[in-house]
Amino acid sequence: MDISKIWLLLVLAFFHMRGNRIFIQDWIAHHTYQKTNEIDSYYLRVANEINDSLSTLWFEEQETNELIHTDALKTLSIYLTCYLEDVIAKTGIFAAFRTIHTELYNQLLPFHADNDLTDYYAEDINSEDVAVLTWLFFSERNPHLFIDPRGRLIQLVTDLAYAILEEHYEVAPENEKLKLEYVLDEGANYFEVRNFIEKLVATNYLTAGEYNTNLNHLMQVAEIGRYQHDQNQLQQMIYRVRDNHFNNYRLHLYALKASEFVAAVIGKEHRLHDIVKTLGNRMNSFFEFVKTDELYVHVKHIGTKTAFKIFKDSIQQFVEPTETLSFYMEIVPWKDAWNLSGIMTVVNAEEINFDLPEQYEMTYRIEALNGKDKSLKKTEKQLKDMGKLFQSEHKAAVAFMEGKEVKEFATDFFKKYQQKYPSKEESPLPESNLDLTEDAQVTVFFNPKTGLEVFGGIAEFFPLKNNKFVEKDDQSEVPYARYFLNLLVEDFFPSELPKYYVNLFKAEVDKQFFFPLNDAVLDFFLRFYKRGTYFLGPFPLLK
């Protein structure tokens, strides 16, 4: 071969190798500190060994092969090396994941029964942990693609990565610096606790990727750049976006809020555990001013008449009103009172509206603080009775019709409900603002949390006697498992729909699915893929 061609190949190989290397700045980007030491250099070598090994992977299926592009494998290699660092330093990140799973399902890990974990030691690294982490990594970054947790991709990555992790486990150094970064002082004040939660969830390998990606997306949506000319307004907007994200965003991990995951990391024995866990439980509602004293601003929730104490020092430049005023306030629990965390603005009587989904949730939560559940039970009973009526009429929780029939169908349903369950209170029928084409094939689903919901394009998923859109003599096999996955991974569908579907066609789905879906695995999937609707409701349909 011509010497110039050999030289060219060597140069290309060098640049390919260099482009595939993980550098110290890549590693340190997954940590809370910037100054590196020899321990970071050690783990960087481990990450590169894993990356070199994983870079040999290749799959015939194009869809799978596209998942393992260079940048993904580099990040995955860092991610799995951070797991090794976590276990050795006992920072408690993966231990928290396992603790939460055990509390929810009485099993150590998803996809693995405890009686199958014969060689599993919680204080050590384990191949089963690596398999779960690998599934989480790919699934979080490809939420509309279901990845078989026991498939070849997960198995091969696990085998290759774990072999290297196991080789280093006995000799890898403990990163004391990292461990100290994830320790919360038991005497920390509100802002120190809040900053600690954000720091941990935004830097640890298990949650940082999705948390930061979503926060950056919200920053773009808010068009933060518009405020560059005014630094005060810019900082206010950045804080506003971060505050909303902190209080509202639910992780793929069990649909938890950041504060709930961090509470599991610091552990129940920590003096601030309960405070940390509830710090993301923001109340957004309408309050009436009562009085002030040396420490607190006293207000009363207008809907439930419940008294609240707000720490005065959490409200900047508060001036005591000289007349009765109502406020819309966003407050979070802190010790034995509340802190303002967001907006506090004066509202007029006509602006106060408790007939909003968000305000129903606030009412339930405030009543629960007082050991009551009257409003919640009333709503649950209404939805339960409606569900019984729907089921008796259609022999299922789904009905099928054309778009032009939906409005009349809903009106008739609510009238039948009012006749069967008469109320002393006058209640107008819900108004429909659906924009449906007349001949659309519509599936009406009775959601036990939110009532009637309308979907197009899924009638074929339900080969039932009451489905006029399905050919009764069609002998072709129904892809139940594929339909279930469609309902599961698409954000558009609420958590209750795939749950209902898999229970309706349990035998058929289990026969076609990768493995039988027990209740624990199904709930884990619902929390992961449906974190936005998993905790939604219940909301009353008739006031």
Side-chain angles (χ1 to χ4, degrees):
M1 182 182 289
D2 190 301
I3 190 68
S4 61
K5 290 184 178 179
I6 295 175
W7 176 249
L8 178 61
L9 289 173
L10 288 172
V11 170
L12 290 173
F14 170 78
F15 279 107
H16 172 74
M17 182 176 68
R18 181 175 174 82
N20 198 35
R21 301 308 292 164
I22 300 171
F23 296 98
I24 193 66
Q25 60 265 33
D26 302 319
W27 168 257
I28 211 67
H30 292 74
H31 292 71
T32 59
Y33 53 85
Q34 296 301 312
K35 190 174 181 180
T36 63
N37 54 35
E38 66 277 5
I39 293 177
D40 293 302
S41 298
Y42 180 93
Y43 283 108
L44 176 63
R45 290 197 300 273
V46 177
N48 272 305
E49 287 180 32
I50 294 175
N51 186 44
D52 289 343
S53 185
L54 296 184
S55 296
T56 64
L57 287 172
W58 182 84
F59 295 88
E60 290 184 0
E61 305 88 356
Q62 182 179 351
E63 190 176 58
T64 305
N65 226 31
E66 288 174 353
L67 296 176
I68 56 171
H69 57 81
T70 300
D71 288 341
L73 290 184
K74 287 167 66 174
T75 306
L76 175 60
S77 300
I78 295 172
Y79 180 89
L80 295 177
T81 305
C82 285
Y83 158 71
L84 173 67
E85 182 184 43
D86 167 33
V87 173
I88 291 175
K90 294 181 173 58
T91 47
I93 304 302
F94 191 79
F97 173 86
R98 188 171 49 224
T99 296
I100 297 165
H101 193 275
T102 303
E103 290 175 350
L104 287 172
Y105 310 117
N106 199 30
Q107 296 281 331
L108 288 171
L109 297 174
F111 322 131
H112 298 84
D114 280 1
N115 53 14
D116 293 333
L117 300 176
T118 54
D119 195 28
Y120 187 92
Y121 300 94
E123 66 277 10
D124 297 337
I125 62 169
N126 297 277
S127 61
E128 294 87 354
D129 296 348
V130 175
V132 170
L133 285 168
T134 302
W135 184 87
L136 288 170
F137 178 88
F138 284 115
S139 297
E140 283 175 2
R141 288 156 179 79
N142 305 276
H144 300 296
L145 175 66
F146 183 84
I147 297 169
D148 179 7
R150 301 176 186 175
R152 286 183 66 242
L153 171 64
I154 305 302
Q155 288 179 354
L156 290 174
V157 169
T158 298
D159 290 345
L160 292 172
Y162 184 71
I164 295 168
L165 294 174
E166 191 175 35
E167 179 184 330
H168 286 275
Y169 177 63
E170 296 295 341
V171 295
E174 179 179 338
N175 191 341
E176 287 283 354
K177 189 175 182 180
L178 178 66
K179 187 174 183 179
L180 289 174
E181 287 286 318
Y182 288 159
V183 173
L184 175 62
D185 186 339
E186 294 198 344
N189 63 33
Y190 169 76
F191 288 106
E192 289 169 339
V193 171
R194 170 67 181 266
N195 290 338
F196 175 82
I197 295 172
E198 284 196 278
K199 177 180 74 172
L200 192 151
V201 81
T203 58
N204 86 82
Y205 65 98
L206 204 51
T207 61
E210 62 160 311
Y211 191 82
N212 293 327
T213 297
N214 192 71
L215 177 58
N216 290 335
H217 171 70
L218 292 179
M219 290 288 186
Q220 292 174 3
V221 170
E223 297 181 343
I224 296 295
R226 292 184 302 164
Y227 305 97
Q228 293 288 353
H229 64 283
D230 186 334
Q231 286 300 306
N232 287 334
Q233 194 172 12
L234 175 64
Q235 292 305 315
Q236 288 177 8
M237 281 300 300
I238 290 174
Y239 178 79
R240 177 69 179 154
V241 173
R242 283 180 56 193
D243 191 57
N244 283 335
H245 183 246
F246 175 85
N247 286 289
N248 298 328
Y249 185 70
R250 289 193 175 276
L251 300 163
H252 280 290
L253 298 183
Y254 311 111
L256 296 176
K257 290 187 176 181
S259 55
E260 294 170 323
F261 177 73
V262 173
V265 174
I266 65 174
K268 292 181 179 179
E269 65 281 358
H270 197 289
R271 192 170 71 86
L272 297 178
H273 171 271
D274 293 349
I275 290 173
V276 169
K277 187 173 183 179
T278 59
L279 199 62
N281 293 348
R282 188 168 72 180
M283 292 283 187
N284 316 317
S285 199
F286 302 98
F287 300 86
E288 184 178 282
F289 172 76
V290 177
K291 66 176 183 178
T292 61
D293 58 30
E294 187 177 347
L295 288 177
Y296 307 109
V297 175
H298 295 262
V299 297
K300 178 175 63 177
H301 183 249
I302 295 172
T304 63
K305 312 303 180 188
T306 300
F308 282 80
K309 296 185 301 183
I310 318 297
F311 282 108
K312 188 187 291 185
D313 61 6
S314 72
I315 306 174
Q316 291 184 1
Q317 301 176 339
F318 179 76
V319 178
E320 182 172 353
T322 57
E323 58 182 317
T324 301
L325 287 180
S326 297
F327 297 97
Y328 175 81
M329 301 178 72
E330 297 174 342
I331 57 177
V332 294
W334 175 248
K335 297 187 175 179
D336 60 345
W338 297 75
N339 265 354
L340 183 70
S341 177
I343 289 175
M344 178 179 181
T345 184
V346 176
V347 292
N348 299 319
E350 59 270 18
E351 296 177 285
I352 299 172
N353 184 3
F354 285 100
D355 289 333
L356 299 171
E358 178 189 68
Q359 292 309 313
Y360 284 113
E361 180 189 347
M362 296 302 117
T363 297
Y364 303 151
R365 286 171 52 192
I366 292 172
E367 286 186 349
L369 292 174
N370 298 322
K372 300 177 181 178
D373 59 4
K374 181 180 177 181
S375 297
L376 177 62
K377 291 296 184 185
K378 181 180 178 181
T379 300
E380 287 178 338
K381 184 180 186 309
Q382 183 188 100
L383 288 167
K384 185 177 181 180
D385 290 341
M386 283 186 176
K388 287 180 181 177
L389 177 61
F390 194 100
Q391 184 77 27
S392 67
E393 294 261 322
H394 305 285
K395 311 306 177 189
V398 283
F400 309 92
M401 63 201 70
E402 294 181 346
K404 61 187 176 185
E405 302 173 276
V406 172
K407 188 172 183 179
E408 184 179 354
F409 172 87
T411 300
D412 289 345
F413 174 75
F414 289 124
K415 285 181 178 178
K416 288 177 182 177
Y417 170 79
Q418 288 179 323
Q419 292 169 1
K420 189 173 179 65
Y421 302 96
S423 173
K424 296 178 182 178
E425 304 172 13
E426 284 289 328
S427 181
L429 297 180
E431 294 184 7
S432 172
N433 57 359
L434 293 173
D435 184 19
L436 300 170
T437 57
E438 289 197 353
D439 59 349
Q441 295 185 2
V442 170
T443 302
V444 178
F445 170 57
F446 188 86
N447 188 326
K449 289 184 177 180
T450 57
L452 297 182
E453 297 191 3
V454 178
F455 304 99
I458 63 170
E460 64 178 336
F461 292 15
F462 297 87
L464 300 171
K465 290 181 179 179
N466 69 331
N467 188 350
K468 64 182 181 180
F469 301 120
V470 173
E471 295 289 339
K472 300 299 184 290
D473 56 351
D474 188 353
Q475 299 299 311
S476 59
E477 184 179 22
V478 178
Y480 292 100
R482 179 164 63 83
Y483 288 158
F484 162 69
L485 288 177
N486 188 295
L487 297 174
L488 179 68
V489 303
E490 292 298 332
D491 288 340
F492 181 72
F493 301 112
S495 62
E496 293 299 312
L497 187 54
K499 181 179 179 180
Y500 172 72
Y501 188 87
V502 79
N503 287 321
L504 182 65
F505 300 113
K506 184 73 171 76
E508 293 86 350
V509 172
D510 280 349
K511 183 179 179 181
Q512 297 176 5
F513 199 65
F514 302 103
F515 47 84
L517 279 168
N518 60 43
D519 290 343
V521 172
L522 175 61
D523 187 72
F524 179 82
F525 283 150
L526 291 175
R527 286 171 177 264
F528 184 91
Y529 289 104
K530 302 297 185 185
R531 65 193 193 281
T533 59
Y534 185 88
F535 290 104
L536 194 65
F539 304 133
L541 297 182
L542 298 175
K543 310 299 185 290

